[in-house]
Amino acid sequence: DRMRQDFVANVSHELRTPLTVLSGFLETIRELKLDPSQREHYLSLMSEQSRRMLRIVEDLLTLSSLESAPPPQDERIMMTALMARLREDAEALSAGRHRIVLQCDGECDLLGAESEIQSAFSNLVSNAVRYTPADGEVRIRWQADVSGGVFSVTDSGIGIAKAHLPRLTERFYRVDRGRSRETGGTGLGLAIVKHALARHQSQLDVQSEPGQGSTFSARFPARRITAVRPAAVPAVALDRNQNADTAKGE
């Protein structure tokens, strides 16, 4: 009950701030005579607050979906392709301000719900980019063998004090509220990561020190790891080989 009360209070607070800003701007536009440039400025600010509320609602719906959904199916997640997409997303978000490094060790894929895994990994990657100063490095890594797999994101960012680490996955918990809002965070990203990973019997491990960067790691059990399928040989090639063997025999 206490957790539910805190959650409702936090949601109300997070939505009330942008709603208050929107209400104030609407009154300003309605009551004051503004020149076109001023009007455009206020409309731009209102649009920004609307997008912020939309992100919060979308993340809340994602959390609700994760909590109520049936166990994930064991579909094969092609990790090479997923890692490539994560790097592309990181480079787009960084816009050239960071060095993005991709590393894959072991020819293994992951079993689970790809949409949930991609959502979790994307949150970790976007956080690393947002909280790493320009000219820093973000390293995205996948390590896997028959004993299990580890997806990790390491950054050279601002780091996190130990006192905050146990509470990072709480909904709406922020180490720095002002900085989180500046970077577009909703305070729900790591809660989504925690729930998505838990549904795949995985745990989130965080290693960080202020000024030394952070490493967020998701550790998967052996039952979630499968060897990469060998590349399929085209049927046309098989036919040609078979014809060639037949000709030699004759």
Side-chain angles (χ1 to χ4, degrees), residues 27-45:
E27 289 183 9
T28 299
I29 292 175
R30 185 175 60 235
E31 297 176 2
L32 298 181
K33 292 183 178 180
L34 304 173
D35 61 48
S37 62
Q38 290 177 314
R39 186 182 183 85
E40 184 61 31
H41 175 65
Y42 283 121
L43 289 173
S44 176
L45 294 175

Side-chain angles (χ1 to χ4, degrees), residues 76-191:
R76 178 184 291 268
I77 303 172
M78 306 297 186
M79 288 303 297
T80 299
L82 176 56
M83 294 290 283
R85 291 198 300 271
L86 291 173
R87 179 173 59 183
E88 290 175 0
D89 292 345
E91 290 174 342
L93 183 61
S94 170
R97 292 176 291 122
H98 309 87
R99 180 169 177 256
I100 309 298
V101 180
L102 187 67
Q103 184 176 353
C104 293
D105 300 326
E107 296 184 352
C108 292
D109 288 330
L110 188 61
L111 297 176
E114 184 164 1
S115 61
E116 296 179 18
I117 292 298
Q118 180 166 341
S119 175
F121 290 178
S122 293
N123 268 298
L124 295 178
V125 172
S126 62
N127 280 350
V129 174
R130 289 190 173 102
Y131 291 100
T132 299
D135 298 323
E137 178 180 283
V138 174
R139 182 176 296 271
I140 309 168
R141 187 177 186 184
W142 169 245
Q143 305 166 267
D145 55 31
V146 293
S147 64
V150 180
F151 172 83
S152 62
V153 181
T154 302
D155 64 64
S156 58
I158 59 177
I160 307 167
K162 289 184 178 180
H164 295 291
L165 296 182
R167 302 190 61 188
L168 286 180
T169 57
E170 292 181 16
R171 299 175 185 188
F172 295 113
Y173 184 81
R174 293 187 178 96
V175 176
D176 184 338
R177 286 187 175 272
R179 183 176 179 85
S180 180
R181 290 198 177 107
E182 285 177 7
T183 58
T186 63
L188 294 168
L190 290 180

Side-chain angles (χ1 to χ4, degrees), residues 181-239:
R181 290 198 177 107
E182 285 177 7
T183 58
T186 63
L188 294 168
L190 290 180
I192 291 173
V193 171
K194 176 184 176 181
H195 279 74
L197 294 182
R199 285 170 49 79
H200 291 79
Q201 298 80 50
S202 175
Q203 295 182 338
L204 181 65
D205 177 66
V206 184
Q207 301 292 327
S208 184
E209 292 185 18
Q212 301 298 317
S214 307
T215 296
F216 287 75
S217 303
R219 304 181 181 278
F220 295 89
R223 66 173 295 264
R224 289 285 174 189
I225 305 301
T226 184
V228 173
R229 289 175 178 171
V233 179
V236 174
L238 286 174
D239 291 341

